[in-house]
Structures are given as C-alpha cells and as structure tokens.
Amino acid sequence: MKILIADDELRLRKVVALHLKKAGFAVLEAGNGRQALEIAKEQKPDVIVLDIMMPEMDGLEACAAIKADAELSGTPIILLTAMAEAGDIEKGNAAGAEYYLTKPFSPRELIDKINSNFKS
C-alpha cells in the first residue's frame, strides 16, 4: 500500500514516514499542497495524509483539488493538523476528507486508522 504524506514540517514528516515504513507501507512525501497534488497525479497513492497549514497550497485546497480530479476522487484523505476547532473539522469534511486527526497524535493511531479503514 502506497501512502502520500504532505506536511511542511520536515521533522514531523520524516517521523511519520519512518513509522509508516516500519508498518510496511511504501511512503511518498511532499512539503506542501501543490507538491502533494502533483505527486498524487503521478503516483496514484492508496491513501493521502495532509496537513492543513502548508505554503503554496494548503491541505484543504489540496484535498478539494484531489477530490475534484476524476482519477483521484476515490483516494481516501486523512487530514492531520493542529487545527482542532469544530469549524476546522467541518471545513475538512466539506473539502472531502474521510478522516480528521489532530496534532499532537500517535503514529500508531494513524497506522491503525489506515489499517482498519483502507487496507484491503
């Protein structure tokens, strides 16, 4: 299973990628929403994990663009963000995200969410 993780915080992205790799996933990485959209179009990941607050294109914009793309619209998206207000979660749902996890989080929680909901 191929997972794309997009977060502008390099250290956090590397930690999450390490945990996902240890769990047996192939990992793709992006530093912003625009990169995430480009990589998603090229690589067709099975799941996409997006931070919301990123430069160039934020995670909500990237999520909406992915869901609007005919080839990518069925790709599950998990928003992983520090934005935890009810309105933020509503915006994430409106953009098309399947799940919303707030930081700080447990990498195990993310892996369990992927395994229980998206692994065939």
Side-chain angles (χ1 to χ4, degrees):
M1 181 178 262
K2 190 171 17 177
I3 299 176
L4 169 59
I5 178 162
D7 197 308
D8 60 320
E9 291 183 44
L10 178 63
R11 191 174 58 88
L12 176 69
R13 192 172 73 235
K14 292 297 182 188
V15 167
V16 173
L18 178 66
H19 283 280
L20 291 171
K21 286 176 185 174
K22 282 184 179 179
F25 299 110
V27 178
L28 305 165
E29 297 182 43
N32 62 57
R34 191 168 314 288
Q35 274 185 337
L37 181 57
E38 290 169 9
I39 292 170
K41 286 180 178 184
E42 291 171 12
Q43 299 289 322
K44 309 286 190 287
D46 299 297
V47 177
I48 300 172
V49 179
L50 295 172
D51 182 22
I52 290 180
M53 295 182 292
M54 292 187 289
E56 293 188 41
M57 176 187 278
D58 70 31
L60 292 175
E61 292 170 312
C63 181
I66 290 165
K67 292 300 183 176
D69 185 293
E71 290 185 21
L72 299 173
S73 63
T75 307
I77 296 176
I78 298 172
L79 292 174
L80 180 61
T81 181
M83 299 176 70
E85 299 292 320
D88 298 322
I89 295 169
E90 289 172 15
K91 288 176 188 172
N93 291 335
E98 277 72 19
Y99 290 99
Y100 197 102
L101 294 176
T102 56
K103 297 175 185 174
F105 72 103
S106 155
R108 178 85 256 154
E109 177 184 14
L110 176 61
I111 291 165
D112 288 346
K113 181 84 57 192
I114 292 167
N115 282 331
S116 64
N117 293 289
F118 309 122
K119 208 166 186 181
S120 35

